[in-house]
Amino acid sequence: MKLNEQEMVRVSKELFTDGLPLASEVYTRLPSGQFILVGRKDDKSNLSALHLMKDDQSELYVSSEDYSKVVKHNVSLIEKTLKNESVSPLLKMNLLKGVAESAMSDIVKKEVFVGSYERCKQVVSFVQESVAQLKNFEKFIDVFSKMPGDQVSHSLATSIVSLMICERMDITMKSTIEKIVMGAFLHDIGLKEIPRELLEKPRLQWTEEELHYYESHTLRGVEILRDIKEIPSDVLSIVLEHHENALGLGYPRRIRDIKINPLARIVAVAECFVELIYDSNKENIRRTPEEAISYIENVMGQPFNKPAFLALKNVIHTTHMQKKLRAVG
Ligand SMILES: [Fe+2]
């Protein structure tokens, strides 16, 4: 059977832990563009066999059909490993990197942005670099390990969207970008204290009390991170203010644009966009990136910081045009 590019999803090598069974067939791509099988489902993973080319350039692929199976398998693996106290923090960090890169493949598949695989790598290394600098590294990993598995995807997607907004807004200072990426990554850490049943329930069915309880995740997030001394105050502001909006209709403090931390303004719009394309509100509506933009503008009345929203709209528009051109050509 000849496999073609459209049917394959590129995945991170870190997805495959030596000695563990493969969740699906794994392929590599030859310079000629042909895909060849390098690992069968249920076989024990053998990294040296998978890295056929013996260099970091070799790319691994799974079929589109198997893709979500592979990611789910890995997220459950990472959840177990992160909670295991006998595993070293460094190994945990490596596993985290693998899951992070794979979670990002989700957004690559959605074709939100052109070249998003490279973006994904960039975001993951930003997060990794910032985390590695923390003296309280173990404490961070401990906090992170309690994050629900599917939250990892959401957090990373928010980081990558925030990064794209920064680029379009010409925000280039590395320290600022690092804070935004880290804040976007950690913004929902407070959700780990909200019962899973509530998070699974469609938002339209929440009682007022449940809504207030959910909204407390912003403050809870700050409480959790305060213990980690080196977390910059801008990152704490992002966690606290990621549900505020320019019109003063957000929470927890209903502050207007001028009072919202400038970095939080960017993460707030990125967060909302990701919620819409991932159906985080459990409405059973998965929007395309273009539909999400139109929803923010026409249904929500564009309540976010204008420059940040326009930057995102521009990115999505450019990608949409490139997709169209590709389809025609
Ligand atoms: Fe949130």
Side-chain angles (χ1 to χ4, degrees):
M1 182 182 56
K2 202 166 183 303
L3 296 157
N4 69 48
E5 191 90 41
Q6 277 78 38
E7 290 161 359
M8 307 301 278
V9 182
R10 187 173 163 187
V11 289
S12 159
K13 279 171 217 159
E14 282 83 1
L15 260 187
F16 309 102
T17 309
D18 262 351
L20 291 179
L22 294 169
S24 79
E25 256 80 58
V26 181
Y27 299 83
T28 192
R29 191 170 65 164
L30 298 176
S32 62
Q34 197 191 348
F35 291 95
I36 54 164
L37 186 70
V38 288
R40 286 188 189 283
K41 183 177 181 304
D42 297 326
D43 279 359
K44 280 192 178 168
S45 170
N46 179 346
L47 275 180
S48 45
L50 289 177
H51 292 182
L52 278 193
M53 318 284 185
K54 291 268 176 229
D55 67 41
D56 273 333
Q57 301 309 312
S58 56
E59 297 172 356
L60 297 177
Y61 292 82
V62 297
S63 73
S64 309
E65 258 171 57
D66 283 341
Y67 173 72
S68 65
K69 231 189 301 170
V70 174
V71 170
K72 272 199 189 120
H73 171 79
N74 237 63
V75 169
S76 73
L77 181 70
I78 190 100
E79 270 184 306
K80 279 185 214 130
T81 317
L82 285 175
K83 283 173 186 139
N84 181 347
E85 284 173 16
S86 63
V87 178
S88 80
L90 217 65
L91 181 59
K92 285 179 182 177
M93 194 69 218
N94 270 338
L95 282 166
L96 173 66
K97 192 177 167 216
V99 171
E101 286 185 7
S102 329
M104 289 313 303
S105 301
D106 228 6
I107 211 162
V108 175
K109 193 69 193 156
K110 285 185 200 300
E111 290 200 296
V112 180
F113 310 117
V114 171
S116 37
Y117 190 84
E118 277 62 39
R119 299 272 171 236
C120 142
K121 288 259 187 197
Q122 206 180 349
V123 168
V124 173
S125 60
F126 263 132
V127 172
Q128 215 185 3
E129 274 172 36
S130 331
V131 170
Q133 282 166 15
L134 299 173
K135 282 195 211 89
N136 254 330
F137 173 73
E138 290 198 29
K139 173 94 195 163
F140 177 86
I141 292 288
D142 180 53
V143 165
F144 185 80
S145 69
K146 291 173 183 122
M147 214 168 179
D150 52 0
Q151 200 54 53
V152 182
S153 268
H154 172 86
S155 299
L156 278 148
T158 308
S159 295
I160 197 170
V161 174
S162 303
L163 185 69
M164 301 300 296
I165 296 175
C166 286
E167 271 190 10
R168 199 47 76 115
M169 292 176 83
D170 285 330
I171 298 172
T172 51
M173 201 188 272
K174 191 166 182 259
S175 59
T176 307
I177 294 176
E178 269 177 4
K179 282 183 212 159
I180 291 184
V181 166
M182 194 168 186
F185 184 66
L186 292 170
H187 72 276
D188 266 345
I189 194 83
L191 284 183
K192 79 182 185 66
E193 294 189 356
I194 308 294
R196 193 119 193 112
E197 307 80 71
L198 180 58
L199 298 177
E200 296 295 332
K201 195 169 155 184
R203 294 216 182 152
L204 283 172
Q205 294 173 19
W206 283 356
T207 62
E208 190 123 326
E209 200 183 339
E210 284 173 328
L211 179 67
H212 283 307
Y213 194 63
Y214 171 81
E215 289 183 354
S216 70
H217 76 271
T218 49
L219 286 157
R220 288 169 194 267
V222 175
E223 288 299 319
I224 292 165
L225 296 173
R226 247 188 211 141
D227 277 359
I228 308 174
K229 298 266 181 307
E230 302 96 330
I231 298 268
S233 63
D234 278 326
V235 172
L236 294 180
S237 296
I238 292 173
V239 175
L240 182 65
E241 297 171 4
H242 72 272
H243 284 292
E244 299 287 0
N245 67 47
L247 304 181
L249 300 171
Y251 60 86
R253 294 186 292 157
R254 294 182 175 272
I255 47 176
R256 283 180 177 268
D257 200 46
I258 190 91
K259 295 245 171 95
I260 302 174
N261 176 294
L263 313 192
R265 293 175 196 155
I266 292 173
V267 177
V269 66
E271 206 279 336
C272 175
F273 172 78
V274 170
E275 278 204 351
L276 292 169
I277 60 174
Y278 278 86
D279 186 31
S280 307
N281 294 342
K282 313 283 178 228
E283 296 171 312
N284 256 333
I285 308 170
R286 281 204 165 223
R287 295 176 176 86
T288 64
E290 296 80 31
E291 287 165 351
I293 291 292
S294 147
Y295 185 89
I296 294 176
E297 263 187 326
N298 305 319
V299 181
M300 295 176 72
Q302 209 309 84
F304 298 101
N305 172 265
K306 242 188 214 152
F309 174 75
L310 286 178
L312 176 62
K313 189 179 171 181
N314 254 316
V315 174
I316 300 305
H317 180 71
T318 312
T319 305
H320 183 65
M321 292 315 283
Q322 280 171 342
K323 267 195 266 182
K324 270 190 159 173
L325 279 176
R326 214 172 44 198
V328 173

